[in-house]
Amino acid sequence: ANAVARDLSGAARHAAYAAGQAAAVAHVAAHEFGAAAYAIKAARAAAPESESEAAGRLECHWQRDQLPEAIRELVLDDQRLRNDICWSVFDC
């Protein structure tokens, strides 16, 4: 997926990187948000420019709604700590 992503652009590129991150870096805790961040970037890129930020926020909220209650606050806290290195996509 990462190799394919290099030749793509826009939403397809970000979606491919999301898949690559999910598959390739699960063993590295510091990379845990890569797939989620790329998915938000893909949602932004797939939307018309005037709706890009709203589409990213919608994806971010959808992801958060999927979190099990038992780990929700832990994940949200970690997102706040790592937001700067994830293109600030978790500001939703």
Side-chain angles (χ1 to χ4, degrees):
N2 286 330
V4 168
R6 290 184 205 111
D7 295 329
L8 300 174
S9 62
R13 182 180 193 159
H14 298 308
Y17 275 133
Q21 283 286 108
V25 301
H27 63 285
V28 180
H31 296 173
E32 65 193 279
F33 292 119
Y38 276 117
I40 293 168
K41 287 179 65 122
R44 287 179 176 174
E49 190 173 335
S50 64
E51 299 171 23
S52 175
E53 289 300 315
R57 282 192 301 278
L58 185 64
E59 172 64 19
C60 183
H61 285 290
W62 180 86
Q63 290 179 13
R64 288 178 175 179
D65 288 344
Q66 308 315 302
L67 294 171
E69 196 60 39
I71 63 166
R72 182 177 178 75
E73 286 306 313
L74 177 65
V75 172
L76 295 180
D77 188 49
D78 208 13
Q79 282 183 348
R80 285 187 284 275
L81 292 173
R82 297 173 194 252
N83 193 39
D84 288 347
I85 63 169
C86 291
W87 309 285
S88 298
V89 298
F90 298 120
D91 288 337
C92 62

